[in-house]
Amino acid sequence: MEAIYTAEALSTGAARNGHVRTTDGLVDLDLAVPVEMGGKGGAPNPELLFASGYAACFHSALQAVARTAGKKLGDSSVGARVSVAKEGEGFGLAVELEVIIPDLPHDEAQALADQAHQVCPYSNATRGNIEVLVTVSDD
């Protein structure tokens, strides 16, 4: 694989209660363990960052497959929920992606979402590793 872009970040401090910063300085955040996981909350966490990245990446893939198919997405959106759960001795992730394309019939929107799931880099990276559920909502 020949990289066309590489993002680089460094985690310092107390990991999930520490700090992350990208080498270009565009991301520079203190992190906090969510209250639901026994932390103080009040700051971003890795799952929020992953959900944000996956939603944006999947939406981009959706736009690309729609362009190829000659479809207009109108006011589309993609939401991502990233869950952490106990898995054996460690932890695992699960993702739910909700696609909304109000200007297309449900079956056409679902077909585009299925195609996007095949080309999205995040989907390709997680396929076979974590559960990813893609649903199309009518709004």
Side-chain angles (χ1 to χ4, degrees):
M1 180 172 98
E2 186 176 329
I4 57 173
Y5 171 75
T6 301
E8 187 176 347
L10 178 66
S11 170
T12 58
R16 285 180 165 271
N17 281 313
H19 191 88
V20 291
R21 183 178 191 286
T22 57
T23 55
D24 59 13
L26 292 175
V27 175
D28 194 350
L29 302 169
D30 286 330
L31 301 174
V33 174
V35 172
E36 297 84 351
M37 293 174 65
K40 66 178 173 116
N45 60 64
E47 291 70 36
L48 287 173
L49 298 172
F50 184 59
S52 299
Y54 204 157
C57 189
F58 195 91
H59 201 189
S60 180
L62 184 66
Q63 291 171 341
V65 298
R67 255 189 320 277
T68 300
K71 303 287 183 179
K72 301 270 188 218
L73 293 183
D75 194 21
S76 63
S77 62
V78 174
R81 289 181 199 91
V82 174
S83 300
V84 178
K86 282 290 269 174
E87 190 173 76
E89 295 296 313
F91 295 90
L93 295 176
V95 175
E96 296 176 50
L97 298 172
E98 180 182 21
V99 176
I100 298 174
I101 309 173
D103 299 337
L104 287 181
H106 184 85
D107 59 332
E108 288 182 41
Q110 186 66 58
L112 290 175
D114 292 343
Q115 290 172 10
H117 194 39
Q118 295 306 307
V119 300
C120 173
Y122 278 55
S123 292
N124 289 333
T126 58
R127 188 170 288 108
N129 297 310
I130 67 173
E131 180 182 334
V132 177
L133 175 65
V134 180
T135 56
V136 173
S137 296
D138 295 323
D139 10 71

